[in-house]
Amino acid sequence: MTANPYPLGLRLHGRRVVVVGGGTVATRRVPALMDAGADVLLVAPELTPALRAQVDAGRLHWVPRRFEPEDLDGAWLVQVAIDDPMAAASVSAVAAERRIFCVRADDRTAATAWTPAVTRHGPVTVAVLGGGDPRRAMTVRDAIRDLLAVRLGSDGTASTRGRPGSSAGATGGTDVVGAGGAGSAGSAGGAGGGRRAGRVALVGAGPGDPELITVKGWRLLTEADVVVADRLVPGLLLDELRPDVELVDASKIPYGPSRAQEEINQILVDRALAGAVVVRLKGGDPYVFGRGGEELLACAAAGVPVTVVPGVTSSIAAPAAAGIPVTHRGVAHEFTVVSGHLAPDSPASLVRWDALAGLHGTLVILMGLKNLAAITATLIAHGRPPQTPAAVVQEATTGTQRVLRSTLGEVAADLLAADLRPPAVVVVGDVVGTLDG
Ligand code: SAH
Protein backbone atom coordinates (compact mmCIF):
# COMPACT_ATOMS: atom_id res chain seq x y z
CA MET A 1 0.00 0.00 0.00
CA THR A 2 1.40 3.36 -1.00
CA ALA A 3 0.57 6.58 0.80
CA ASN A 4 -1.47 9.32 -0.82
CA PRO A 5 0.34 12.02 -2.80
CA TYR A 6 0.35 15.50 -1.33
CA PRO A 7 -0.98 18.05 -3.86
CA LEU A 8 0.88 21.33 -4.38
CA GLY A 9 0.76 24.20 -6.83
CA LEU A 10 4.35 24.91 -7.76
CA ARG A 11 5.12 28.56 -8.46
CA LEU A 12 7.86 28.08 -10.98
CA HIS A 13 8.18 31.59 -12.33
CA GLY A 14 11.85 32.30 -12.98
CA ARG A 15 12.88 29.03 -11.34
CA ARG A 16 15.05 26.46 -13.07
CA VAL A 17 13.33 23.27 -14.23
CA VAL A 18 15.42 20.67 -16.00
CA VAL A 19 13.79 18.50 -18.64
CA VAL A 20 15.86 15.47 -19.61
CA GLY A 21 14.89 14.26 -23.07
CA GLY A 22 13.96 16.01 -26.30
CA GLY A 23 11.32 13.76 -27.84
CA THR A 24 7.55 13.72 -27.92
CA VAL A 25 7.10 13.44 -24.14
CA ALA A 26 9.27 16.48 -23.55
CA THR A 27 7.45 18.33 -26.32
CA ARG A 28 4.18 17.75 -24.50
CA ARG A 29 5.49 18.65 -21.07
CA VAL A 30 7.43 21.80 -21.85
CA PRO A 31 4.54 24.16 -22.78
CA ALA A 32 2.94 23.99 -19.31
CA LEU A 33 6.32 24.68 -17.72
CA MET A 34 6.79 27.67 -19.98
CA ASP A 35 3.25 28.82 -19.21
CA ALA A 36 4.22 28.77 -15.54
CA GLY A 37 7.18 31.00 -16.37
CA ALA A 38 9.79 28.39 -15.50
CA ASP A 39 13.37 28.81 -16.60
CA VAL A 40 13.51 25.58 -18.60
CA LEU A 41 16.75 23.77 -19.39
CA LEU A 42 16.51 20.93 -21.90
CA VAL A 43 19.17 18.23 -21.78
CA ALA A 44 19.09 15.96 -24.83
CA PRO A 45 21.34 15.11 -27.76
CA GLU A 46 18.50 15.87 -30.17
CA LEU A 47 15.25 17.82 -30.09
CA THR A 48 11.94 17.61 -31.93
CA PRO A 49 11.39 20.46 -34.40
CA ALA A 50 8.83 22.04 -32.05
CA LEU A 51 11.32 22.19 -29.17
CA ARG A 52 14.06 23.31 -31.51
CA ALA A 53 11.91 26.24 -32.58
CA GLN A 54 11.50 27.31 -28.94
CA VAL A 55 15.25 27.09 -28.42
CA ASP A 56 15.89 29.11 -31.59
CA ALA A 57 13.45 31.73 -30.36
CA GLY A 58 15.44 32.02 -27.14
CA ARG A 59 12.64 30.76 -24.89
CA LEU A 60 14.43 27.62 -23.69
CA HIS A 61 18.00 26.70 -22.87
CA TRP A 62 19.39 23.57 -24.46
CA VAL A 63 22.37 21.45 -23.57
CA PRO A 64 22.88 19.23 -26.64
CA ARG A 65 24.22 16.06 -25.02
CA ARG A 66 23.26 13.31 -22.60
CA PHE A 67 22.57 14.08 -18.95
CA GLU A 68 25.39 14.97 -16.55
CA PRO A 69 24.85 15.45 -12.79
CA GLU A 70 25.85 19.13 -12.91
CA ASP A 71 22.83 19.80 -15.14
CA LEU A 72 20.77 19.81 -11.95
CA ASP A 73 22.74 22.69 -10.44
CA GLY A 74 20.23 25.27 -9.27
CA ALA A 75 17.20 23.20 -10.29
CA TRP A 76 13.96 23.11 -8.31
CA LEU A 77 12.37 20.30 -10.30
CA VAL A 78 13.40 17.76 -12.89
CA GLN A 79 11.25 16.03 -15.49
CA VAL A 80 12.67 12.87 -16.96
CA ALA A 81 11.22 12.38 -20.41
CA ILE A 82 13.33 9.53 -21.81
CA ASP A 83 12.55 5.87 -22.40
CA ASP A 84 15.83 4.31 -21.35
CA PRO A 85 15.17 3.07 -17.77
CA MET A 86 18.85 2.95 -16.83
CA ALA A 87 19.49 6.53 -17.93
CA ALA A 88 16.26 7.67 -16.26
CA ALA A 89 17.20 5.94 -13.01
CA SER A 90 20.54 7.68 -12.95
CA VAL A 91 18.85 11.09 -13.29
CA SER A 92 16.46 10.10 -10.50
CA ALA A 93 19.37 9.11 -8.29
CA VAL A 94 21.13 12.45 -8.73
CA ALA A 95 17.86 14.31 -8.10
CA ALA A 96 17.13 12.32 -4.94
CA GLU A 97 20.60 12.95 -3.61
CA ARG A 98 20.06 16.68 -4.05
CA ARG A 99 16.46 16.62 -2.76
CA ILE A 100 15.03 17.78 -6.09
CA PHE A 101 11.61 16.40 -6.94
CA CYS A 102 11.70 14.20 -10.02
CA VAL A 103 8.88 13.36 -12.43
CA ARG A 104 9.46 10.18 -14.45
CA ALA A 105 7.65 9.56 -17.72
CA ASP A 106 9.04 6.02 -17.93
CA ASP A 107 8.18 4.79 -14.43
CA ARG A 108 5.65 6.46 -12.17
CA THR A 109 6.47 4.22 -9.26
CA ALA A 110 10.08 5.39 -9.28
CA ALA A 111 9.11 9.07 -9.43
CA THR A 112 9.08 11.42 -6.44
CA ALA A 113 6.43 13.63 -8.06
CA TRP A 114 3.52 13.10 -10.43
CA THR A 115 2.14 15.54 -12.95
CA PRO A 116 -1.65 15.70 -12.73
CA ALA A 117 -4.18 15.91 -15.56
CA VAL A 118 -5.11 19.57 -15.70
CA THR A 119 -7.94 21.78 -16.86
CA ARG A 120 -7.59 25.54 -16.74
CA HIS A 121 -10.54 27.86 -16.58
CA GLY A 122 -9.43 31.46 -16.40
CA PRO A 123 -7.78 31.95 -13.04
CA VAL A 124 -8.86 28.51 -11.79
CA THR A 125 -6.64 25.46 -12.30
CA VAL A 126 -7.99 22.01 -11.52
CA ALA A 127 -5.39 19.26 -11.22
CA VAL A 128 -6.39 15.60 -10.97
CA LEU A 129 -4.23 12.70 -9.80
CA GLY A 130 -5.60 9.25 -10.54
CA GLY A 131 -3.74 7.27 -7.93
CA GLY A 132 -0.98 6.55 -10.42
CA ASP A 133 -3.36 5.79 -13.30
CA PRO A 134 -3.13 8.65 -15.84
CA ARG A 135 -6.15 7.43 -17.79
CA ARG A 136 -8.34 7.60 -14.72
CA ALA A 137 -7.02 11.08 -14.01
CA MET A 138 -7.84 12.21 -17.54
CA THR A 139 -11.35 10.78 -17.44
CA VAL A 140 -12.12 12.61 -14.21
CA ARG A 141 -10.46 15.77 -15.52
CA ASP A 142 -12.59 15.67 -18.70
CA ALA A 143 -15.76 15.37 -16.64
CA ILE A 144 -14.75 18.32 -14.46
CA ARG A 145 -13.81 20.36 -17.51
CA ASP A 146 -17.27 19.83 -18.98
CA LEU A 147 -18.90 20.80 -15.71
CA LEU A 148 -16.81 23.94 -15.37
CA ALA A 149 -17.49 25.05 -18.92
CA VAL A 150 -21.16 25.20 -18.03
CA ARG A 151 -21.10 26.03 -14.36
CA LEU A 152 -18.22 28.26 -13.48
CA GLY A 153 -20.10 31.34 -14.60
CA SER A 154 -22.71 30.85 -11.92
CA ASP A 155 -20.73 29.08 -9.23
CA GLY A 156 -17.39 30.78 -9.71
CA THR A 157 -18.56 34.33 -10.29
CA ALA A 158 -18.13 35.55 -6.76
CA SER A 159 -14.50 34.58 -6.73
CA THR A 160 -13.62 35.51 -10.29
CA ARG A 161 -15.48 38.80 -10.48
CA GLY A 162 -14.44 40.12 -7.13
CA ARG A 163 -10.91 40.60 -8.30
CA PRO A 164 -10.68 43.26 -10.98
CA GLY A 165 -8.90 42.00 -14.04
CA SER A 166 -9.12 38.34 -13.19
CA SER A 167 -12.37 37.51 -14.90
CA ALA A 168 -11.27 38.51 -18.34
CA GLY A 169 -8.02 36.60 -18.16
CA ALA A 170 -4.73 38.03 -19.24
CA THR A 171 -3.72 35.71 -22.03
CA GLY A 172 -4.80 35.43 -25.61
CA GLY A 173 -6.98 38.49 -26.12
CA THR A 174 -5.99 42.07 -26.50
CA ASP A 175 -6.39 43.90 -23.25
CA VAL A 176 -6.92 47.57 -23.68
CA VAL A 177 -7.17 49.90 -20.77
CA GLY A 178 -9.39 52.88 -21.37
CA ALA A 179 -8.27 56.47 -21.51
CA GLY A 180 -8.73 56.76 -17.76
CA GLY A 181 -5.44 54.92 -17.36
CA ALA A 182 -4.42 51.57 -15.93
CA GLY A 183 -6.39 50.59 -12.89
CA SER A 184 -8.70 53.58 -13.05
CA ALA A 185 -11.63 51.73 -14.58
CA GLY A 186 -14.76 53.71 -14.09
CA SER A 187 -12.92 56.93 -13.38
CA ALA A 188 -15.54 58.78 -15.36
CA GLY A 189 -17.86 58.41 -12.45
CA GLY A 190 -18.79 54.78 -11.95
CA ALA A 191 -16.59 52.69 -9.77
CA GLY A 192 -16.01 54.94 -6.81
CA GLY A 193 -17.14 54.19 -3.31
CA GLY A 194 -15.89 50.61 -3.27
CA ARG A 195 -18.08 49.42 -6.08
CA ARG A 196 -16.54 46.66 -8.19
CA ALA A 197 -15.06 47.64 -11.53
CA GLY A 198 -17.04 46.81 -14.64
CA ARG A 199 -15.57 45.97 -17.98
CA VAL A 200 -16.47 45.13 -21.55
CA ALA A 201 -15.42 42.15 -23.65
CA LEU A 202 -15.91 42.34 -27.41
CA VAL A 203 -16.37 38.68 -28.22
CA GLY A 204 -16.55 37.05 -31.65
CA ALA A 205 -19.29 34.44 -31.60
CA GLY A 206 -18.22 32.70 -34.81
CA PRO A 207 -20.20 32.25 -38.01
CA GLY A 208 -23.29 30.40 -36.82
CA ASP A 209 -22.61 26.98 -35.34
CA PRO A 210 -22.67 27.66 -31.57
CA GLU A 211 -19.70 25.33 -31.11
CA LEU A 212 -17.54 27.67 -33.17
CA ILE A 213 -17.20 30.27 -30.43
CA THR A 214 -13.72 30.23 -28.86
CA VAL A 215 -13.10 28.70 -25.44
CA LYS A 216 -12.25 32.11 -24.07
CA GLY A 217 -15.31 33.73 -25.61
CA TRP A 218 -17.51 31.06 -24.07
CA ARG A 219 -15.96 31.51 -20.66
CA LEU A 220 -16.49 35.26 -20.72
CA LEU A 221 -20.07 34.69 -21.81
CA THR A 222 -20.68 32.46 -18.80
CA GLU A 223 -19.26 35.19 -16.56
CA ALA A 224 -21.30 38.08 -17.98
CA ASP A 225 -23.90 40.18 -16.15
CA VAL A 226 -25.02 41.83 -19.38
CA VAL A 227 -24.87 40.44 -22.92
CA VAL A 228 -25.41 42.74 -25.88
CA ALA A 229 -25.95 40.49 -28.90
CA ASP A 230 -26.17 41.00 -32.66
CA ARG A 231 -28.72 39.54 -34.99
CA LEU A 232 -26.17 37.14 -36.48
CA VAL A 233 -25.14 35.66 -33.16
CA PRO A 234 -26.02 31.95 -32.79
CA GLY A 235 -29.23 31.82 -30.78
CA LEU A 236 -28.19 28.68 -28.94
CA LEU A 237 -25.40 30.55 -27.21
CA LEU A 238 -27.96 32.90 -25.72
CA ASP A 239 -30.22 30.04 -24.77
CA GLU A 240 -27.67 28.90 -22.25
CA LEU A 241 -27.28 32.19 -20.40
CA ARG A 242 -28.25 32.29 -16.74
CA PRO A 243 -31.75 33.66 -16.20
CA ASP A 244 -30.46 36.68 -14.28
CA VAL A 245 -28.27 37.87 -17.15
CA GLU A 246 -29.58 41.00 -18.84
CA LEU A 247 -29.80 40.32 -22.58
CA VAL A 248 -29.87 43.35 -24.88
CA ASP A 249 -30.83 42.53 -28.46
CA ALA A 250 -28.85 45.08 -30.46
CA SER A 251 -30.84 44.35 -33.61
CA LYS A 252 -34.04 45.54 -31.92
CA ILE A 253 -32.68 49.00 -31.15
CA PRO A 254 -34.81 51.49 -33.10
CA TYR A 255 -33.47 54.52 -35.03
CA GLY A 256 -31.21 54.31 -38.09
CA PRO A 257 -27.99 52.29 -38.17
CA SER A 258 -25.61 55.03 -37.07
CA ARG A 259 -27.83 56.23 -34.23
CA ALA A 260 -28.30 52.60 -33.19
CA GLN A 261 -24.52 52.18 -33.00
CA GLU A 262 -24.32 55.19 -30.69
CA GLU A 263 -27.01 53.64 -28.54
CA ILE A 264 -25.09 50.38 -28.34
CA ASN A 265 -21.88 52.20 -27.41
CA GLN A 266 -23.79 54.02 -24.69
CA ILE A 267 -25.28 50.82 -23.29
CA LEU A 268 -21.83 49.20 -23.13
CA VAL A 269 -20.31 52.20 -21.36
CA ASP A 270 -23.23 52.77 -18.96
CA ARG A 271 -23.45 49.18 -17.82
CA ALA A 272 -19.68 48.85 -17.38
CA LEU A 273 -19.47 52.09 -15.39
CA ALA A 274 -22.25 50.76 -13.19
CA GLY A 275 -19.98 47.82 -12.40
CA ALA A 276 -21.30 45.15 -14.77
CA VAL A 277 -19.25 42.59 -16.65
CA VAL A 278 -20.52 43.24 -20.17
CA VAL A 279 -20.07 40.92 -23.14
CA ARG A 280 -20.65 42.45 -26.54
CA LEU A 281 -21.27 39.35 -28.62
CA LYS A 282 -20.79 39.79 -32.34
CA GLY A 283 -21.18 37.47 -35.32
CA GLY A 284 -17.93 36.09 -36.73
CA ASP A 285 -14.96 38.21 -35.71
CA PRO A 286 -15.55 41.56 -33.97
CA TYR A 287 -13.17 43.45 -36.26
CA VAL A 288 -14.32 42.08 -39.62
CA PHE A 289 -17.09 44.45 -40.73
CA GLY A 290 -18.34 44.28 -37.18
CA ARG A 291 -17.81 47.86 -35.96
CA GLY A 292 -15.82 46.45 -33.06
CA GLY A 293 -13.30 49.24 -33.40
CA GLU A 294 -15.95 51.90 -32.85
CA GLU A 295 -17.15 50.18 -29.70
CA LEU A 296 -13.60 49.85 -28.42
CA LEU A 297 -12.98 53.57 -28.96
CA ALA A 298 -16.22 54.52 -27.22
CA CYS A 299 -15.31 52.40 -24.18
CA ALA A 300 -11.75 53.70 -24.11
CA ALA A 301 -12.98 57.29 -24.22
CA ALA A 302 -15.11 56.57 -21.15
CA GLY A 303 -12.26 54.88 -19.28
CA VAL A 304 -13.83 51.42 -19.50
CA PRO A 305 -11.35 48.53 -19.86
CA VAL A 306 -11.96 46.36 -22.92
CA THR A 307 -10.86 42.86 -23.85
CA VAL A 308 -11.14 41.80 -27.48
CA VAL A 309 -11.65 38.10 -28.16
CA PRO A 310 -11.26 37.26 -31.85
CA GLY A 311 -13.81 35.01 -33.50
CA VAL A 312 -14.00 32.58 -36.40
CA THR A 313 -14.95 34.85 -39.26
CA SER A 314 -17.55 33.86 -41.84
CA SER A 315 -15.23 35.16 -44.55
CA ILE A 316 -13.09 32.06 -44.10
CA ALA A 317 -15.50 29.70 -42.34
CA ALA A 318 -18.38 30.02 -44.81
CA PRO A 319 -16.28 28.97 -47.81
CA ALA A 320 -14.76 26.19 -45.67
CA ALA A 321 -18.19 24.94 -44.66
CA ALA A 322 -19.01 24.63 -48.37
CA GLY A 323 -15.82 22.66 -49.02
CA ILE A 324 -13.94 25.64 -50.46
CA PRO A 325 -10.46 26.39 -49.09
CA VAL A 326 -9.70 30.10 -49.45
CA THR A 327 -6.13 29.18 -50.42
CA HIS A 328 -4.82 26.03 -52.06
CA ARG A 329 -1.29 25.25 -53.12
CA GLY A 330 -0.83 25.91 -56.82
CA VAL A 331 -4.31 27.44 -57.12
CA ALA A 332 -4.57 30.57 -54.98
CA HIS A 333 -1.85 32.25 -52.96
CA GLU A 334 -4.01 35.08 -51.73
CA PHE A 335 -7.52 35.83 -50.59
CA THR A 336 -9.18 39.18 -50.37
CA VAL A 337 -12.16 39.89 -48.16
CA VAL A 338 -14.30 42.77 -49.32
CA SER A 339 -17.62 44.30 -48.39
CA GLY A 340 -20.21 44.52 -51.14
CA HIS A 341 -22.68 46.61 -49.21
CA LEU A 342 -22.07 49.61 -51.47
CA ALA A 343 -22.45 49.41 -55.24
CA PRO A 344 -19.15 49.72 -57.15
CA ASP A 345 -20.18 53.08 -58.60
CA SER A 346 -21.25 54.51 -55.24
CA PRO A 347 -19.32 57.68 -54.39
CA ALA A 348 -18.97 56.38 -50.84
CA SER A 349 -17.29 53.12 -51.94
CA LEU A 350 -13.75 52.59 -50.63
CA VAL A 351 -13.15 49.47 -52.76
CA ARG A 352 -11.02 49.49 -55.93
CA TRP A 353 -13.09 46.91 -57.81
CA ASP A 354 -11.05 47.55 -60.98
CA ALA A 355 -7.87 46.59 -59.11
CA LEU A 356 -9.53 43.53 -57.54
CA ALA A 357 -10.50 42.36 -61.04
CA GLY A 358 -6.79 42.05 -61.84
CA LEU A 359 -6.04 39.61 -59.01
CA HIS A 360 -5.79 35.88 -59.63
CA GLY A 361 -6.60 34.78 -56.12
CA THR A 362 -9.75 34.22 -54.12
CA LEU A 363 -12.23 37.03 -53.63
CA VAL A 364 -14.64 36.71 -50.70
CA ILE A 365 -17.51 39.19 -50.76
CA LEU A 366 -19.54 39.83 -47.61
CA MET A 367 -22.85 41.67 -47.58
CA GLY A 368 -22.80 41.48 -51.36
CA LEU A 369 -26.07 39.87 -52.49
CA LYS A 370 -27.98 43.07 -53.20
CA ASN A 371 -25.24 44.51 -55.39
CA LEU A 372 -24.00 41.25 -56.85
CA ALA A 373 -25.05 41.94 -60.46
CA ALA A 374 -23.21 45.28 -60.47
CA ILE A 375 -20.19 43.77 -58.69
CA THR A 376 -19.76 40.84 -61.06
CA ALA A 377 -20.28 43.09 -64.10
CA THR A 378 -17.59 45.46 -62.82
CA LEU A 379 -15.13 42.63 -62.16
CA ILE A 380 -15.71 41.21 -65.68
CA ALA A 381 -15.47 44.65 -67.30
CA HIS A 382 -12.03 45.06 -65.71
CA GLY A 383 -10.70 41.72 -66.85
CA ARG A 384 -11.68 38.90 -64.51
CA PRO A 385 -12.82 36.09 -66.82
CA PRO A 386 -16.59 35.39 -66.69
CA GLN A 387 -15.97 31.64 -66.51
CA THR A 388 -14.12 32.01 -63.18
CA PRO A 389 -15.80 29.63 -60.71
CA ALA A 390 -18.00 31.30 -58.10
CA ALA A 391 -20.14 30.13 -55.19
CA VAL A 392 -22.64 31.56 -52.74
CA VAL A 393 -22.86 30.15 -49.23
CA GLN A 394 -25.93 31.09 -47.21
CA GLU A 395 -26.23 30.65 -43.44
CA ALA A 396 -22.96 28.76 -43.35
CA THR A 397 -22.25 26.29 -40.52
CA THR A 398 -25.93 26.21 -39.49
CA GLY A 399 -28.58 23.58 -40.10
CA THR A 400 -30.04 25.71 -42.89
CA GLN A 401 -26.82 26.19 -44.85
CA ARG A 402 -27.28 26.40 -48.62
CA VAL A 403 -24.59 26.43 -51.28
CA LEU A 404 -24.86 27.57 -54.89
CA ARG A 405 -22.12 26.78 -57.43
CA SER A 406 -21.86 28.93 -60.50
CA THR A 407 -19.47 31.19 -62.44
CA LEU A 408 -18.65 34.86 -62.17
CA GLY A 409 -20.69 35.54 -65.30
CA GLU A 410 -23.81 33.74 -64.12
CA VAL A 411 -23.82 33.83 -60.34
CA ALA A 412 -25.99 36.96 -60.03
CA ALA A 413 -28.77 35.46 -62.16
CA ASP A 414 -28.43 32.02 -60.55
CA LEU A 415 -28.71 33.62 -57.13
CA LEU A 416 -32.10 35.14 -57.97
CA ALA A 417 -33.34 31.88 -59.46
CA ALA A 418 -32.27 29.94 -56.37
CA ASP A 419 -33.77 32.57 -54.05
CA LEU A 420 -30.75 32.76 -51.77
CA ARG A 421 -30.88 35.33 -49.00
CA PRO A 422 -28.54 37.02 -46.51
CA PRO A 423 -26.50 36.26 -44.57
CA ALA A 424 -24.37 34.84 -47.34
CA VAL A 425 -20.85 35.13 -48.67
CA VAL A 426 -19.88 35.04 -52.32
CA VAL A 427 -16.61 33.33 -53.23
CA VAL A 428 -14.94 33.95 -56.57
CA GLY A 429 -11.87 32.11 -57.78
CA ASP A 430 -10.39 28.82 -58.90
CA VAL A 431 -10.48 27.46 -55.35
CA VAL A 432 -14.22 26.96 -55.91
CA GLY A 433 -14.40 23.35 -57.06
CA THR A 434 -10.76 22.53 -56.27
CA LEU A 435 -11.70 19.88 -53.73
CA ASP A 436 -14.62 18.47 -55.76
CA GLY A 437 -14.47 15.00 -57.24
N1 SAH B 1 -18.05 40.02 -38.32
C1 SAH B 1 -18.68 39.07 -39.22
C2 SAH B 1 -19.17 39.74 -40.50
C3 SAH B 1 -20.22 40.80 -40.26
S1 SAH B 1 -20.85 41.48 -41.75
C4 SAH B 1 -17.69 37.95 -39.52
O1 SAH B 1 -16.50 38.05 -39.22
O2 SAH B 1 -18.15 36.92 -40.02
C5 SAH B 1 -22.23 40.44 -42.04
C6 SAH B 1 -21.97 39.57 -43.25
O3 SAH B 1 -21.19 38.45 -42.90
C7 SAH B 1 -23.21 38.95 -43.84
O4 SAH B 1 -23.88 39.86 -44.70
C8 SAH B 1 -22.63 37.82 -44.62
O5 SAH B 1 -22.02 38.26 -45.81
C9 SAH B 1 -21.54 37.35 -43.69
N2 SAH B 1 -21.98 36.26 -42.83
C10 SAH B 1 -22.05 36.26 -41.49
N3 SAH B 1 -22.44 35.05 -41.02
C11 SAH B 1 -22.60 34.27 -42.10
C12 SAH B 1 -22.97 32.90 -42.30
N4 SAH B 1 -23.26 32.09 -41.27
N5 SAH B 1 -23.03 32.43 -43.55
C13 SAH B 1 -22.72 33.21 -44.61
N6 SAH B 1 -22.37 34.49 -44.48
C14 SAH B 1 -22.29 35.01 -43.25
Side-chain angles (χ1 to χ4, degrees):
M1 205 348 259
T2 47
N4 279 325
Y6 179 75
L8 272 183
L10 297 184
R11 302 180 62 219
L12 293 176
H13 193 265
R15 303 202 161 104
R16 171 58 55 92
V17 175
V18 177
V19 176
V20 182
T24 51
V25 176
T27 307
R28 291 182 56 170
R29 290 288 163 82
V30 161
L33 293 169
M34 291 174 61
D35 181 60
D39 167 26
V40 177
L41 174 72
L42 284 168
V43 182
E46 281 167 61
L47 298 182
T48 61
L51 289 173
R52 188 59 198 256
Q54 300 284 11
V55 169
D56 290 345
R59 294 188 206 108
L60 299 173
H61 308 284
W62 177 32
V63 182
R65 55 158 169 73
R66 294 169 69 88
F67 175 78
E68 301 280 347
E70 73 259 24
D71 295 332
L72 294 193
D73 289 353
W76 293 67
L77 180 70
V78 55
Q79 295 241 7
V80 184
I82 49 181
D83 295 332
D84 175 357
M86 297 285 279
S90 70
V91 181
S92 269
V94 179
E97 205 174 284
R98 302 190 180 195
R99 302 293 187 264
I100 300 168
F101 278 107
C102 179
V103 180
R104 295 255 311 248
D106 64 308
D107 183 355
R108 312 188 261 290
T109 57
T112 52
W114 289 338
T115 45
V118 167
T119 174
R120 294 187 174 85
H121 199 94
V124 176
T125 300
V126 179
V128 179
L129 294 168
D133 178 350
R135 274 171 193 278
R136 184 194 292 148
M138 279 189 269
T139 307
V140 174
R141 185 271 318 269
D142 289 347
I144 295 173
R145 177 170 56 195
D146 291 349
L147 273 177
L148 283 180
V150 180
R151 295 268 177 79
L152 198 73
S154 45
D155 297 346
T157 39
S159 58
T160 55
R161 280 193 203 149
R163 282 173 284 138
S166 65
S167 67
T171 55
T174 316
D175 278 16
V176 179
V177 175
S184 67
S187 59
R195 246 192 295 165
R196 66 182 185 176
R199 55 189 300 136
V200 170
L202 300 179
V203 175
D209 178 344
E211 290 199 295
L212 288 176
I213 191 172
T214 63
V215 173
K216 182 163 183 162
W218 174 248
R219 176 171 67 77
L220 290 173
L221 198 57
T222 64
E223 292 174 3
D225 302 308
V226 180
V227 175
V228 183
D230 270 343
R231 189 171 39 91
L232 283 181
V233 156
L236 271 182
L237 289 175
L238 306 176
D239 236 33
E240 299 186 26
L241 294 178
R242 298 191 317 277
D244 59 304
V245 172
E246 181 193 1
L247 179 62
V248 179
D249 183 345
S251 65
K252 296 246 168 72
I253 292 177
Y255 324 115
S258 64
R259 178 74 198 284
Q261 185 61 52
E262 280 171 33
E263 289 286 318
I264 293 167
N265 295 352
Q266 201 58 51
I267 291 170
L268 301 178
V269 167
D270 287 350
R271 298 294 196 283
L273 290 181
V277 174
V278 183
V279 166
R280 172 68 172 115
L281 193 62
K282 306 173 82 72
D285 180 274
Y287 282 170
V288 179
F289 306 129
R291 308 189 73 161
E294 293 168 49
E295 293 169 4
L296 177 122
L297 290 174
C299 291
V304 169
V306 183
T307 302
V308 180
V309 182
V312 175
T313 174
S314 65
S315 54
I316 299 172
I324 302 165
V326 290
T327 71
H328 193 73
R329 191 160 60 89
V331 178
H333 291 178
E334 76 208 2
F335 63 96
T336 307
V337 179
V338 55
S339 168
H341 77 291
L342 293 175
D345 61 358
S346 160
S349 176
L350 299 176
V351 179
R352 288 270 315 276
W353 291 100
D354 56 331
L356 293 181
L359 300 177
H360 299 292
T362 309
L363 191 59
V364 182
I365 305 163
L366 272 60
M367 299 181 281
L369 293 200
K370 186 165 56 79
N371 294 317
L372 195 59
I375 288 169
T376 52
T378 306
L379 291 172
I380 292 167
H382 289 93
R384 190 102 199 213
Q387 64 276 17
T388 308
V392 181
V393 191
Q394 173 187 318
E395 291 169 86
T397 77
T398 73
T400 47
Q401 172 174 313
R402 291 178 67 194
V403 182
L404 169 76
R405 299 295 180 100
S406 182
T407 60
L408 183 60
E410 291 175 359
V411 68
D414 289 350
L415 172 85
L416 289 179
D419 191 29
L420 290 190
R421 272 162 292 129
V425 304
V426 180
V427 194
V428 177
D430 290 332
V431 290
V432 176
T434 302
L435 301 186
D436 294 353

